[in-house]
Amino acid sequence: MKQVSYNPYATAQTQFDNVADVIGLEQPVRDLLRQPSREYHFTIPVKMDDGTTKVFNGYRIQHNDARGPGKGGIRFDPNETVDTIRALSLWMTWKCAVVDIPLGGAKGGIICDPRNLSKGEQERLCRGYVRQIARNIGHVNDVPAPDVMSTGQHMLWMLDEFESVHGGKYPGAITGKPVGMGGSLGRTEATGYGVIYTLREALKTLNIDIATTTASIQGFGNVAEYVARLYSSMGGTVIAISCWNQADQKAYTFRKPDGLDVEQMAEIKDSFGSIDKEKALGLGCELLDGAEWSAQEVDIIIPCALENQVTPACFFALSEKVKVICEGANGPTIPDCDVLIKDRDIFLIPDFLANAGGVTCSYFEQVQCNMNYFWPKEEVLEKLDEKMTSAFWGVYNLAKEKGLYMRDAAYVIAINRVVEAVKLRGWV
Ligand code: NAD
């Protein structure tokens, strides 16, 4: 496994410890909540198309299930680390708690690059993953979903294998499935739209009309595309988008000072969220270095790609104009930057609040699967907006009342809810 110097688990624990100090958490509660409660590490042998066998490493990490079954995606990423999955499992617990859905936190991953695997190899990998973990996941204990580079098709193969192992139909055992196969309408849009629902509310508190604003976005995958779509449909102008280019092994920023046509950009991206460089140039985009996305003269920056992106170097390159950082990705900002963001009085919408729309819609998917009755898209999105808006105001009002930074206020609400659950259950 690749060794990286940045450790998201250390970030997640630092964030937790800081808030545990603020709310005066007792030691046993801290010990319970600052680390996952269970971890599964396993191997997945896969027959490759050329007749050889390749062994992949898979993980499922369950942080806390006091409020309900664990919930969290499965990442397919060649650079995935156990500590990233641990961090993400913690963030899932806080995310479900901050939007007040009855689920806990978990996360999974397979060290693999699906871009280099055939469809058949991907299917065998998905089925192999589930065979190793089928007894420890599912609707009653831990519900997986797609994440970076995993898709609805992957989830359906996983569900099919899960149902074969358990001998029944359990559509609520895995979410993010294709619509018509137990998936919810609106799930594709949910995370990105949720980000923009919280941004819309944040701009209200700042008395800024969204239609007068400009934004720069890092990433153009599932989250970022729907961030860009809803933001521009509300009148905002997307000046720049950055994404990874697999062939060149580097990121690029695509910029149009008068605003990118989001629909056009979506037409020239591949299924992994990479924009075709030549076609973008053909559309009149300027091609800048990947890091330039955060140095644009915009009102809002929306990191929607990876963790560890808003670093001090990135922060000091921000334009004076930036008023809001809206975290679409998980863990994009390192703790050192929180101090800087606070000092400059930039409004931060923290990741586990901003991007909770995905898990909220996954919860709606489970509810619909349990009823075997599916809501129209408008109803799903209306319920999503209601949840996200109410969660935003809960966090904002606490931050204002207690003079807290938005990230800390979100943590206080989430941690208190989980602490109440573990205490009521008699765990501590
Ligand atoms: P995705 O795989 O669909 O897209 C990732 C995007 O990031 C792609 O456009 C890729 O080109 C870009 N990218 C990768 N490396 C980059 C780099 N160095 N510079 C610029 N761009 C780069 O993933 P996604 O589902 O959109 O998830 C993005 C983030 O949001 C992740 O942190 C994920 O954990 C988080 N998230 C996703 C969901 C969801 O429902 N998909 C929900 C909550 C949080």
Side-chain angles (χ1 to χ4, degrees):
M1 187 176 304
K2 194 181 157 193
Q3 292 298 311
V4 284
S5 50
Y6 169 71
N7 188 330
Y9 188 38
T11 297
Q13 290 191 314
T14 304
Q15 291 169 345
F16 172 79
D17 291 342
N18 290 342
V19 177
D21 288 342
V22 171
I23 58 179
L25 271 193
E26 308 91 308
Q27 198 57 46
V29 186
R30 288 179 190 232
D31 293 344
L32 184 69
L33 297 183
R34 72 188 304 282
Q35 59 187 326
S37 57
R38 278 179 295 275
E39 295 195 359
Y40 303 96
H41 300 198
F42 44 89
T43 49
I44 312 166
V46 173
K47 292 267 183 300
M48 306 301 280
D49 291 348
D50 64 5
T52 61
T53 297
K54 193 165 173 197
V55 178
F56 294 85
N57 290 85
Y59 303 87
R60 188 72 190 170
I61 297 185
Q62 298 165 348
H63 171 243
N64 188 278
D65 54 8
R67 286 173 46 87
K71 187 87 195 76
I74 300 174
R75 285 185 166 194
F76 288 0
D77 187 342
N79 299 320
E80 199 56 290
T81 70
V82 178
D83 275 349
T84 307
I85 303 172
R86 288 187 177 118
L88 290 161
S89 75
L90 265 69
W91 287 326
M92 283 309 298
T93 302
W94 314 136
K95 197 179 294 195
C96 294
V98 84
V99 286
D100 206 8
I101 56 178
L103 296 168
K107 202 79 184 187
I110 305 179
I111 317 277
C112 71
D113 192 338
R115 291 168 293 206
N116 302 331
L117 297 173
S118 72
K119 210 170 160 194
E121 289 165 344
Q122 291 179 44
E123 176 175 350
R124 292 191 287 280
L125 181 60
C126 289
R127 292 183 184 279
Y129 180 91
V130 169
R131 279 196 299 277
Q132 287 288 47
I133 194 74
R135 281 155 205 84
N136 308 103
I137 57 168
H139 51 301
V140 291
N141 49 8
D142 174 11
V143 183
D147 202 282
V148 172
M149 284 204 273
S150 56
T151 64
Q153 174 65 77
H154 295 136
M155 295 306 115
L156 192 56
W157 285 326
M158 288 190 180
L159 180 72
D160 190 66
E161 193 66 25
F162 180 88
E163 291 180 335
S164 303
V165 171
H166 289 283
K169 295 292 169 197
Y170 303 99
I174 295 180
T175 62
K177 305 180 294 295
V179 171
M181 290 304 298
S184 174
L185 288 164
R187 177 61 186 89
T188 309
E189 297 87 345
T191 308
Y193 277 20
V195 171
I196 298 303
Y197 296 147
T198 62
L199 174 66
R200 179 195 62 202
E201 299 306 306
L203 292 174
K204 282 183 197 164
T205 73
L206 299 168
N207 280 321
I208 298 173
D209 175 4
I210 197 165
T212 65
T213 63
T214 51
S216 176
I217 302 173
Q218 188 189 35
F220 204 44
N222 172 257
V223 179
E225 178 183 334
Y226 288 95
V227 157
R229 282 180 183 274
L230 188 60
Y231 172 71
S232 57
S233 79
M234 288 180 180
T237 306
V238 180
I239 300 290
I241 295 174
S242 78
C243 63
W244 184 252
N245 185 299
Q246 183 65 4
D248 297 357
Q249 285 293 298
K250 68 182 294 269
Y252 291 110
T253 299
F254 299 90
R255 176 174 73 177
K256 265 194 186 173
D258 295 338
L260 293 161
D261 181 329
V262 173
E263 186 67 48
Q264 261 183 354
M265 297 307 283
E267 276 167 19
I268 59 165
K269 76 167 210 179
D270 67 15
S271 61
F272 298 105
S274 294
I275 293 168
D276 187 309
K277 196 172 68 180
E278 304 309 325
K279 288 184 182 161
L281 288 170
L283 292 173
C285 295
E286 294 170 61
L287 188 66
L288 311 175
D289 186 68
E292 286 294 313
W293 75 279
S294 60
Q296 301 306 308
E297 217 179 297
V298 289
D299 303 297
I300 303 156
I301 64 158
I302 319 181
C304 294
L306 306 164
E307 54 280 342
N308 190 26
Q309 298 303 299
V310 183
T311 57
C314 162
F315 180 86
F316 290 116
L318 291 184
S319 146
E320 287 294 316
K321 208 177 166 207
V322 172
K323 298 170 195 72
V324 180
I325 299 177
C326 183
E327 297 179 335
N330 285 313
T333 303
I334 65 163
D336 288 355
C337 270
D338 279 325
V339 186
L340 302 170
I341 295 168
K342 268 187 251 184
D343 282 354
R344 237 182 78 180
D345 211 16
I346 294 177
F347 193 109
L348 176 97
I349 313 176
D351 52 0
F352 67 90
L353 168 64
N355 70 31
V359 73
T360 303
C361 194
S362 282
Y363 164 61
F364 294 158
E365 179 176 332
Q366 270 192 294
V367 172
Q368 295 170 82
C369 283
N370 292 344
M371 296 186 296
N372 210 1
Y373 175 76
F374 290 82
W375 306 324
K377 188 168 174 180
E378 298 68 38
E379 192 174 339
V380 175
L381 295 176
E382 207 177 292
K383 285 182 163 65
L384 180 68
D385 194 348
E386 217 174 279
K387 266 281 182 211
M388 296 301 295
T389 301
S390 140
F392 173 87
W393 284 99
V395 172
Y396 176 76
N397 288 335
L398 182 74
K400 214 163 152 56
E401 187 193 324
K402 304 271 185 208
L404 291 172
Y405 181 51
M406 281 290 281
R407 188 186 314 284
D408 294 346
Y411 263 114
V412 169
I413 290 177
I415 293 174
N416 276 335
R417 285 185 180 147
V418 178
V419 169
E420 190 187 1
V422 296
K423 285 190 174 170
L424 282 172
R425 284 179 180 275
W427 291 358
V428 282

